Amino acid sequence: MRKLVSAAKALLTLQVGLFVGASRIENVLRTLGSEFDTKHKIFSEFTKAVPKDIPVGSARLWWDAEAMLKTDLKLASVEERFRVKLLAECVVIIRQYD
């Protein structure tokens, strides 16, 4: 549970970006079992909603800057739809498991 709480804190405090933080939490949830993944499904819903042709995380370093910045409007739109839900679920995780 420490890894889950740590990942939730990193996302809640925005020490990591939304996609990287949600992916990290999603991976930890998978290791904890399907009931955890189902209970906190917003993270996988978000990562699946981000189009595969948008660079995220360290992949952004390898993209042409101009091309990458053009994709940011799409990424920002998805992030806007999920931001409050993701952060609220981080609060739930921290309160429940810390």
Side-chain angles (χ1 to χ4, degrees):
M1 290 299 173
R2 287 189 349 209
K3 285 185 179 183
L4 178 60
V5 171
S6 175
K9 286 179 178 180
L11 181 53
L12 182 63
T13 60
L14 299 178
Q15 292 175 351
V16 295
L18 290 182
F19 187 85
V20 170
S23 295
R24 183 175 166 208
I25 291 170
E26 183 181 13
N27 289 334
V28 174
L29 290 170
R30 267 195 224 114
T31 66
L32 293 173
S34 62
E35 73 270 7
F36 286 92
D37 200 27
T38 302
K39 185 175 183 181
H40 305 289
K41 63 183 177 184
I42 190 66
F43 300 103
S44 62
E45 289 173 358
F46 168 67
T47 59
K48 288 175 186 159
V50 174
K52 302 297 179 216
D53 63 338
I54 293 179
V56 292
S58 59
R60 294 169 64 85
L61 297 172
W62 299 101
W63 271 59
D64 172 72
E66 192 173 314
M68 178 196 58
L69 293 173
K70 286 181 181 177
T71 68
D72 271 6
L73 288 177
K74 287 189 231 174
L75 179 59
S77 174
V78 175
E79 288 180 338
E80 182 182 353
R81 287 194 341 250
F82 284 88
R83 182 184 191 89
V84 172
K85 293 175 188 174
L86 291 169
L87 298 179
E89 195 64 22
C90 286
V91 171
V92 168
I93 288 172
I94 293 164
R95 286 183 180 163
Q96 189 166 4
Y97 306 115
D98 195 15

